[in-house]
Amino acid sequence: MNYVLPVGDFLMAGEASSNVKKILNQLGIPPRIVKRTAVAMYEAELNAVIHAYGGRAEVEITKDFIVVEVIDDGPGIPDIELAMTEGYSTAPDEIREMGFGAGMGLPNIKRNADEFSIESEVGKGTRVRIVVYFNR
Amino acid sequence: MKVEEIVKILDAEILTSGHDPGLEIMHACGSDLMSDVMAYVEENVLLLTGLVSPQVIRTAEMMDIRVICFVRGKNVTPSVIDMARERGITLLVTRHPMFIACGMLYSAGLRGKGVRD
Ligand SMILES: Nc1ncnc2c1ncn2[C@@H]1O[C@H](COP(=O)(O)OP(=O)(O)OP(=O)(O)O)[C@@H](O)[C@H]1O
Ligand SMILES: [Mg+2]
């Protein structure tokens, strides 16, 4: 299966993750694994919306695992190691007022994913890849 | 603790009718920071929050949180209520502020923190 999902504005953020969550539930994947996937994807989706004016999500589901890639053409991340640090955030005040921007997202994606990678180029964009296995 | 007991203790109003009032809640978390909720909550908590936005419902959806209580008598828009209803999430609203609402539930015996250390 392959889905290309648009990632829209902040108020819409989560549509793609919500759809994927529904599909995984329909496939009978254990709730704990569905939750991990949904949380990781939602954090990536939020990042694309908050830090990079939106992007897209590509999702591949096989019998054994799901691969989610969230891709944007935003400003990119100059220092990925710094961005991965808990508590580091460049989110603007209006995002903090909405309850986000604590610098927890990327570490949380890593914690919930079985495989996680991030590629980013300043001025070009960012690609986050998440793999979650169904039977581990 | 059942949702109907929580409603009574907090003198809360149920914004989404039709959901199971007998649902058992063992843990609660009071937070306005959805980043923290997503990073630390592990159990199926009651989420108490002063934030009223679609992203609160989204966060609950991803985290399998079944019940949210808005504190300090927040005005909740019909679209937020609809979003919750569609997802089977029960919404409550209490006039009590966060600290008092959490204290009342804790005193009544709801003790599970539901977050990882
Ligand atoms: N897609 C992206 N494009 C550009 N910068 C990004 C992107 N994703 C993350 N970043 C940068 O990395 C930082 C850390 O991201 P992370 O998701 O951990 O925290 P946050 O989004 O700031 O806050 P939170 O996720 O807790 O709401 C961001 O503040 C931002 O500077
Ligand atoms: Mg983030």
Side-chain angles (χ1 to χ4, degrees):
Chain A
M1 283 185 265
N2 214 322
Y3 303 88
V4 177
L5 300 161
V7 174
D9 62 23
F10 183 69
L11 288 181
M12 284 296 290
E15 260 323 291
S17 309
S18 177
N19 282 323
V20 166
K21 189 170 193 223
K22 275 185 208 125
I23 292 162
L24 294 180
N25 278 328
Q26 280 161 12
L27 291 172
I29 307 300
R32 259 189 42 249
I33 290 172
V34 175
K35 179 171 159 182
R36 275 171 48 216
T37 309
V39 166
M41 181 172 174
Y42 179 49
E43 294 271 22
E45 215 186 310
L46 279 169
N47 279 354
V49 169
I50 292 171
H51 307 293
Y53 2 95
R56 67 181 198 280
E58 293 183 5
V59 179
E60 188 195 344
I61 300 172
T62 74
K63 170 166 107 357
D64 301 313
F65 58 84
I66 176 168
V67 184
V68 175
E69 290 196 81
V70 177
I71 303 146
D72 67 63
D73 307 315
I77 304 174
D79 185 341
I80 290 180
E81 203 184 320
L82 183 61
M84 288 297 303
T85 312
E86 269 190 23
Y88 175 83
S89 176
T90 60
D93 285 347
E94 61 267 25
I95 294 297
R96 288 169 206 261
E97 280 156 23
M98 310 276 291
F100 295 90
M104 301 298 298
L106 289 174
N108 200 28
I109 297 173
K110 194 173 172 191
R111 206 168 55 83
N112 281 289
D114 290 314
E115 287 170 29
F116 163 80
S117 64
I118 178 166
E119 286 166 37
S120 189
E121 201 177 323
V122 173
K124 286 252 171 78
T126 301
R127 172 187 287 260
V128 169
R129 185 169 183 274
I130 298 158
V131 182
V132 177
Y133 292 93
F134 298 148
N135 337 295
R136 282 195 189 168
Chain B
M1 186 179 281
K2 293 193 173 20
V3 171
E4 56 195 357
E5 290 176 62
I6 291 170
V7 168
K8 222 177 265 168
I9 291 163
L10 295 179
D11 192 16
E13 185 190 335
I14 304 178
L15 300 174
T16 47
S17 52
H19 296 153
D20 178 15
L23 181 70
E24 277 286 346
I25 297 289
M26 313 289 282
H27 309 266
C29 167
S31 181
D32 289 348
L33 199 48
M34 295 303 116
S35 299
D36 270 2
V37 170
M38 278 199 290
Y40 292 107
V41 170
E42 284 192 322
E43 308 294 337
N44 297 339
V45 296
L46 158 72
L47 174 64
L48 296 115
T49 184
L51 267 188
V52 191
S53 76
Q55 293 309 334
V56 174
I57 310 296
R58 281 279 185 228
T59 301
E61 175 186 6
M62 302 309 160
M63 296 294 294
D64 296 329
I65 290 173
R66 308 278 307 277
V67 189
I68 303 171
C69 182
F70 297 115
V71 297
R72 226 180 328 100
K74 282 286 157 65
N75 262 322
V76 187
T77 62
S79 72
V80 166
I81 297 174
D82 285 345
M83 248 183 106
R85 192 176 286 124
E86 281 164 20
R87 288 161 178 77
I89 296 169
T90 300
L91 291 188
L92 313 177
V93 60
T94 175
R95 72 192 148 76
H96 296 295
M98 177 73 97
F99 176 70
I100 301 296
C102 292
M104 289 169 112
L105 292 175
Y106 190 88
S107 310
L110 184 58
R111 299 283 161 92
K113 63 183 163 79
V115 295
R116 69 189 171 94
D117 291 312

